[in-house]
Amino acid sequence: MNGLSPLSVQEIMASDPAHGPVARAQEWTAGAAYVIDRFVPLGEAAVPITDLGLVRADAVYDVVSVSRGQFFRLEDHQARFARSRERMKLSSPFVQAAEAALLNELVARTGLKDAYVWWAVTRGANPPLPGDRLHAERFQNRFYAFVIPYVFIKDDAVRQAGIHLHVSNDYIRIPANAIDPRAKNFCSLDLNMSLMEAGAAGAEWSVLTDGNNVLTEAPGSNIFVVREDRIMTPELGCLEGITRLTALELCGEIGLNVEVGTVTVDDLLTADEAFLTSSAGGILPISTVNGRPICQGSGPVSTRIHNLYWEKRWAGWHGTPVDYEAVN
């Protein structure tokens, strides 16, 4: 690995004083939420049982992470959230600046320096007249958000060893002409069931295809394949991931050639190395696919991008500092 090894990110977050939380009242330290029109401690947050986001998965959402007291690419996440709403004919009660201020206040209430920040707009309840269901503008859409301590898909040890990935045989990604995967939405049962399939196969994560041997995405993650001097990532059937965008930028910065296009299962099985990208964990290397080794531990490309991702983030790259004085 050219002398490089992946940074132990969780260990750094747990031990470095720069990641220590700001003191807050006990009720807020586990997390904070915003439900429709008010802030509440996480343990008091609830969704009305008739909300169509719950009963019909009729909603879009986004996730931005905070580390060392800075949002990462907040404006990019907000722009994607706005595109998701537009694609699903949903509206928000907040303009972008007010939305950012609300998310900032949620983090500030917890005092967390490393946080997972989730927010959504649901369709709301059914309107009173049945005919109104035919018109998106007649629903009263609802806004929800919460903040909890930073979430990792896998821990430092797994990140350094690489995960065991399973290409799903039983499930395919929902076709784009059924549900647009570019809109970050609640319709993820295909992804969730593929994880259970992976677990039954002794693997640690899954990835789905379009049913024709073409890779799409993994649960909560985009996938990258490294073969010789090329890096490939799927173009279609996947979310326009912000960490994916970041990996593309980092590859360009260090002079690596990246192709966004068709990536097959065979490309993955014959790769020199591969990795997943997500807000919940950054860069996650892959060591085996369907039980077949492709790389021993985190390969040189994965390691370099992983370390750059965190080093640059912690130095303030694409960062928006949290204003912890926004609440007393």
Side-chain angles (χ1 to χ4, degrees):
M1 294 195 297
N2 300 327
L4 285 176
S5 59
L7 291 170
S8 297
V9 179
Q10 280 178 289
E11 181 182 333
I12 292 170
M13 286 185 179
S15 60
D16 189 328
H19 295 268
V22 176
R24 289 292 186 257
Q26 183 79 27
E27 65 180 337
W28 296 101
T29 56
Y34 185 88
V35 178
I36 304 176
D37 59 1
R38 68 197 63 188
F39 292 96
V40 295
L42 186 69
E44 298 176 17
V47 175
I49 200 166
T50 57
D51 193 302
L52 293 174
L54 173 65
V55 299
R56 302 221 180 250
D58 194 349
V60 297
Y61 74 105
D62 217 293
V63 173
V64 65
S65 61
V66 171
S67 192
R68 206 167 280 185
Q70 296 186 85
F71 287 99
F72 184 62
R73 306 195 79 140
L74 177 58
E75 290 186 358
D76 289 322
H77 281 279
Q78 287 187 274
R80 183 177 66 180
F81 182 61
R83 292 194 299 272
S84 294
R85 293 198 324 267
E86 182 178 354
R87 286 166 176 151
M88 298 303 186
K89 296 180 172 57
L90 291 160
S91 62
S92 172
F94 302 108
V95 297
Q96 181 172 324
E99 180 181 90
L102 186 152
L103 299 177
N104 181 94
E105 181 170 345
L106 277 173
V107 179
R109 282 174 180 261
T110 68
L112 293 168
K113 292 289 185 69
D114 298 292
Y116 175 100
V117 183
W118 181 101
W119 75 105
V121 166
T122 71
R123 192 73 61 191
N126 273 318
L129 300 177
D132 288 345
R133 295 179 63 185
L134 304 175
H135 306 280
E137 69 278 5
R138 297 182 189 175
F139 288 81
Q140 186 173 354
N141 301 157
R142 292 169 173 164
F143 189 96
Y144 300 89
F146 67 82
V147 171
I148 57 175
Y150 196 94
V151 174
F152 281 95
I153 289 180
K154 297 294 179 183
D155 62 20
D156 285 337
V158 174
R159 248 190 318 279
Q160 291 164 5
I163 62 164
H164 303 301
L165 188 72
H166 179 76
V167 180
S168 180
N169 295 311
D170 298 339
Y171 305 96
I172 64 169
R173 192 67 180 107
I174 297 173
N177 59 351
I179 298 173
D180 190 341
R182 297 173 301 168
K184 196 169 176 70
N185 63 79
F186 282 13
C187 302
S188 59
L189 199 55
D190 51 346
L191 297 168
N192 295 340
M193 295 306 296
S194 76
L195 282 174
M196 296 178 191
E197 177 192 350
E204 296 171 303
W205 212 252
S206 59
V207 65
L208 274 71
T209 71
D210 66 353
N212 295 299
N213 208 46
V214 175
L215 295 176
T216 57
E217 61 184 345
S221 313
N222 294 106
I223 189 166
F224 284 73
V225 171
V226 182
R227 295 185 66 192
E228 298 177 347
D229 62 346
R230 295 190 304 155
I231 300 177
M232 302 177 288
T233 191
E235 179 179 20
L236 302 176
C238 59
L239 182 70
E240 296 170 335
I242 304 301
T243 313
R244 171 182 181 262
L245 171 64
T246 303
L248 291 171
E249 290 180 358
L250 292 173
C251 288
E253 181 177 315
I254 59 181
L256 299 174
N257 179 36
V258 183
E259 298 176 9
V260 180
T262 300
V263 186
T264 68
V265 174
D266 293 337
D267 290 328
L268 176 60
L269 291 171
T270 58
D272 298 321
E273 55 183 294
F275 57 89
L276 302 178
T277 61
S278 70
S279 291
I283 312 301
L284 184 60
I286 297 164
S287 61
T288 69
V289 178
N290 292 353
R292 297 169 54 175
I294 63 168
C295 189
Q296 185 174 0
S298 181
V301 172
S302 304
T303 300
R304 193 173 181 191
I305 295 171
H306 171 276
N307 289 356
L308 269 176
Y309 172 81
W310 288 107
E311 289 165 354
K312 289 173 71 70
R313 273 196 68 165
W314 289 340
W317 184 56
H318 288 305
T320 301
V322 176
D323 177 11
Y324 290 95
E325 301 302 316
V327 296
N328 296 323

